[in-house]
Amino acid sequence: QKEVEQNSGPLSVPEGAIASLNCTYSDRVSQSFFWYRQYSGKSPELIMSIYSNGDKEDGRFTAQLNKASQYVSLLIRDSQPSDSATYLCAAFPNILTGGGNKLTFGTGTQLKVEL
Amino acid sequence: EPEVTQTPSHQVTQMGQEVILRCVPISNHLYFYWYRQILGQKVEFLVSFYNNEISEKSEIFDDQFSVERPDGSNFTLKIRSTKLEDSAMYFCASSEKGLTAYEQYFGPGTRLTVT
């Protein structure tokens, strides 16, 4: 069974610090990974995608992927109170090998950025 | 910026009634999805739709559920006879392509309450 695991938190960081969010997955079929931000009562908002091993940076966000270790992370630099939300990790399979085309989500990590 | 829209934002219905949830995907997107999120739980895949047919569905998507693209813009989810356990947020998503890991963008959701 394909699983995406995240620590539910809450993860508390002071304003201006680096927040580090982690995600592991159990299925080697998973090919690509996405980080979504979800504010309470709102829908998931895509913030980062990563398809290959290594780092990908976009503004204050850096996604890291290590397929050998089946590990994905998201770093948020200069954390702001507005970053306080639940961060969802999602895996997408390689459908060319019969993996389907759905996103499998983790339970999310709640991030709190404190003043 | 193009976005996925959903109506209604909140639907209250009695057990056993039929409901139709509506979505307008992003106009140049080809793949459409429905997900749901029960309060406090993870986002779960229901169904994906491409080229006017279901491409994949989950175990949740039983005979009570159906999807349709009645015209060139709308994408609907019908629940024929609602149960209490169908109470959840229902999210529509769309992606430009599904054969590779293109990003899925979510609508604001419909909160379904079954009494």
Side-chain angles (χ1 to χ4, degrees), chain A residues 32 36 38 43 49 51 101, chain B residues 35 37 48 56 101 103-104 107:
Chain A
S32 304
Y36 287 83
Q38 187 176 32
S43 63
S49 59
Y51 305 133
N101 64 347
Chain B
Y35 293 82
Q37 186 176 31
S48 60
E56 187 177 358
E103 292 87 355
Q104 294 184 24

Side-chain angles (χ1 to χ4, degrees), chain A residues 14-16 39 78-85 111-115:
Chain A
E15 184 178 7
Y39 293 111
D78 189 25
S79 296
Q80 301 297 310
S82 58
D83 294 326
S84 298
L111 174 66
K112 293 184 176 180
V113 181
E114 299 168 333
L115 295 171

Side-chain angles (χ1 to χ4, degrees), chain B residues 1-14:
Chain B
E1 184 175 327
E3 58 183 19
V4 177
T5 60
Q6 290 185 244
T7 54
S9 57
H10 191 188
Q11 175 87 50
V12 181
T13 189
Q14 289 188 328

Side-chain angles (χ1 to χ4, degrees), chain A:
Chain A
Q1 185 172 352
K2 304 168 189 176
E3 293 286 346
V4 175
E5 301 289 340
Q6 296 181 257
N7 187 322
S8 61
L11 171 67
S12 293
V13 300
E15 184 178 7
I18 296 175
S20 178
L21 303 160
N22 304 313
C23 171
T24 58
Y25 59 97
S26 61
D27 178 18
R28 292 192 178 274
V29 173
S30 295
Q31 183 75 5
S32 304
F33 301 87
F34 303 88
W35 285 98
Y36 287 83
R37 178 173 61 199
Q38 187 176 32
Y39 293 111
S40 181
K42 302 297 185 182
S43 63
E45 175 192 5
L46 180 66
I47 54 172
M48 286 288 286
S49 59
I50 187 164
Y51 305 133
S52 55
N53 281 326
D55 295 0
K56 179 182 177 183
E57 185 174 320
D58 184 0
R60 294 188 296 114
F61 300 101
T62 299
Q64 299 172 317
L65 173 59
N66 183 327
K67 291 188 177 182
S69 301
Q70 297 181 221
Y71 178 87
V72 194
S73 66
L74 179 70
L75 301 178
I76 306 175
R77 288 181 297 281
D78 189 25
S79 296
Q80 301 297 310
S82 58
D83 294 326
S84 298
T86 297
Y87 288 80
L88 309 178
C89 174
F92 189 88
N94 181 349
I95 72 166
L96 297 177
T97 57
N101 64 347
K102 65 184 182 186
L103 287 173
T104 298
F105 283 86
T107 53
T109 298
Q110 184 183 7
L111 174 66
K112 293 184 176 180
V113 181
E114 299 168 333
L115 295 171

